[in-house]
Amino acid sequence: MTQAFAGVTIDSAELRVVNLPLITPFTVSNQTLTDKTFPLLTLRADGLEGYGEGVMDPYPDYLEETLPGALAFLRDLILPQIVGKRIGNPAELTALLAPWRGHKMSKALVELAFWDLWTKALNLPLCAALGGLRDAVPVGVSLGITPIERTLERIAEAEAAGYKRIKLKVAQGHDLKLLEAVRREFPAVKLTVDANTAYGLTDLATLRAMDRFDLDYIEQPLAVDDIHDHALVQREIATAICLDESIRTPADCRKALAAGAARVINIKVGRVGGYSAAKAIHDVSEAFGAPVWCGGMLESGIGRAHNIHLATLPNFTKPGDTSSASRYFHRDIIAEPLEATGGLMPVPGNGAGIGVTLDRPFLNTVTRSTEEFRP
């Protein structure tokens, strides 16, 4: 009889802070990014390594969690709690992390690294363990705020590359004229907009005017914590609302869909606390008949690979943000190029787990700090 798999013992952990410059600045309604700074976690067990990438920003401009706070939480509490411990499966890890309030992005970082390690120990691709159904996922592009003429050029480039959806970042004063220009030039392109909370109820006329541009959805038009007003707006406009920042838990998703505050849900595994919550949000959305898609946070190849595996689940029926890494970085921290062809991103398949390997010589050149944790 084959012995049952008993889990993995975390022999050690490595926590890096990595800084990758972006090829071009990325501007949204409330900030402009010129580089991407993020924590990279490696969990080790029995000669295997699992990798996770954090999505918290240095400052609280997307959500309240920050990189300095996350590093302290991981360093002082979470990593000492799990290093040296045998963990049977991801559910056991989720239970270990559950008593600590908030810190969803930090918990996700640990959970992602563990899922990669655990599936490598099982010799399974991550998507198979998650219940994924595809070997490639449809992807679109997300275009930051630039002058309208430049935006038109970038849309033409994305169309030529075969991307399945164009998402435009919008803000007050950079919305209706932009959409008019885009629809004149590209009347048939699948188009969405992302407001990153830039509007309020006083902007209802602007949001209603977006109906005439045949948008697939308007993403997160109102405040992070305002399901009620999103429901009011959704009743007043024909275009579907998609919620991003507002959805932190499966309960948030259920309440938003039950209230009619959205018809589409963006799932970012880092935002919601890891795969356990992401899968539950996927299932809740499916029960309501609401499609989901995988959002991006300008991740490097580690986070990008995790996103691709997640997006193989069946209710991810809208194109996600996981476009080619070469659109963002001159060089990635992984050895395998993650590049879309014809709007499809193949699931990384270099071995079990997330299917990618670190380019360690280059990673060392973009690492700001490294900490080791042992029993």
Side-chain angles (χ1 to χ4, degrees):
M1 180 180 295
T2 302
Q3 186 174 1
F5 179 67
V8 295
T9 299
I10 308 300
D11 299 325
S12 65
E14 177 191 85
L15 182 61
R16 294 178 182 241
V17 175
V18 179
N19 178 260
L20 274 179
L22 296 172
I23 293 174
T24 57
F26 191 82
T27 299
V28 301
S29 63
N30 61 352
Q31 63 171 316
T32 296
L33 297 174
T34 57
D35 54 17
K36 180 67 176 177
T37 301
F38 59 92
L40 181 70
L41 177 65
T42 301
L43 297 180
R44 302 188 181 99
D46 300 323
L48 300 173
E49 292 187 340
Y51 308 121
E53 177 177 337
V55 297
M56 63 290 290
D57 289 329
Y59 303 103
D61 39 30
Y62 173 68
L63 290 171
E64 69 278 0
E65 198 167 352
T66 65
L67 179 57
L71 293 175
F73 179 66
L74 292 163
R75 178 190 303 120
D76 299 337
L77 188 61
I78 297 302
L79 294 180
Q81 183 182 7
I82 67 170
V83 170
K85 187 176 184 65
R86 176 165 287 275
I87 302 174
N89 53 56
E92 285 188 20
L93 177 65
T94 299
L96 283 173
L97 301 178
W100 310 114
R101 296 176 187 264
H103 296 281
K104 292 186 180 297
M105 294 177 178
S106 301
K107 292 178 180 178
L109 170 63
V110 177
E111 191 175 306
L112 267 58
F114 181 80
W115 272 87
D116 185 29
L117 179 66
W118 183 67
T119 49
K120 284 172 178 170
L122 290 170
N123 197 30
L124 286 173
L126 176 60
C127 57
L130 290 172
L133 302 178
R134 311 179 184 99
D135 57 11
V137 298
V139 292
V141 296
S142 178
L143 302 181
I145 294 173
T146 57
I148 290 176
E149 287 304 315
R150 177 58 184 143
T151 298
L152 295 176
E153 293 171 357
R154 297 181 73 192
I155 293 173
E157 293 165 359
E159 266 213 315
Y163 283 106
K164 305 294 187 183
R165 176 269 279 150
I166 308 295
K167 182 172 82 172
L168 303 177
K169 296 289 186 176
V170 294
Q172 293 192 33
H174 185 81
D175 40 39
L176 299 183
K177 288 184 178 179
L178 168 68
L179 292 173
E180 288 169 355
V182 170
R183 276 302 182 218
R184 279 196 304 270
E185 191 82 14
F186 303 98
V189 70
K190 187 170 186 177
L191 190 65
T192 72
V193 297
D194 184 4
N196 291 110
T197 76
Y199 300 99
L201 285 182
T202 55
D203 302 300
L204 182 57
T206 298
L207 296 171
R208 190 182 286 122
M210 291 184 184
D211 281 343
R212 69 178 188 265
F213 298 110
D214 189 29
L215 303 175
D216 195 34
Y217 52 79
I218 301 170
E219 187 177 352
Q220 197 67 45
L222 309 181
V224 170
D225 57 355
D226 204 337
I227 297 295
H228 178 269
D229 283 355
H230 276 104
L232 292 179
V233 171
Q234 184 65 96
R235 287 198 292 270
E236 294 292 327
I237 66 174
T239 306
I241 287 176
C242 169
L243 288 180
D244 174 359
E245 291 97 319
S246 294
I247 306 302
R248 311 288 297 281
T249 67
D252 290 340
C253 181
R254 174 182 58 80
K255 292 172 185 177
L257 293 173
R263 299 176 192 154
V264 180
I265 299 296
N266 169 341
I267 299 180
K268 292 176 179 171
V269 65
R271 186 191 74 232
V272 304
Y275 284 122
S276 299
K279 283 167 58 66
I281 291 169
H282 167 278
D283 294 348
V284 169
S285 300
E286 189 171 37
F288 275 88
V292 303
W293 58 278
C294 186
M297 296 283 285
L298 300 178
E299 290 96 339
S300 80
I302 295 299
R304 200 167 291 267
H306 275 284
N307 287 346
I308 297 166
H309 282 271
L310 176 64
T312 63
L313 292 173
N315 196 38
F316 281 88
T317 56
K318 291 187 177 292
D321 277 345
T322 313
S323 56
S324 297
S326 60
R327 298 184 63 250
Y328 301 100
F329 308 114
H330 291 289
R331 183 172 175 179
D332 205 344
I333 64 169
I334 61 172
E336 299 78 7
L338 297 183
E339 299 294 309
T341 302
L344 292 175
M345 177 67 78
V347 175
N350 186 7
I354 58 173
V356 298
T357 56
L358 292 175
D359 179 352
R360 292 188 181 277
F362 177 66
L363 175 61
N364 289 335
T365 69
V366 292
T367 295
R368 286 186 172 180
S369 64
T370 305
E371 298 177 73
E372 292 280 344
F373 300 83
R374 300 184 183 278

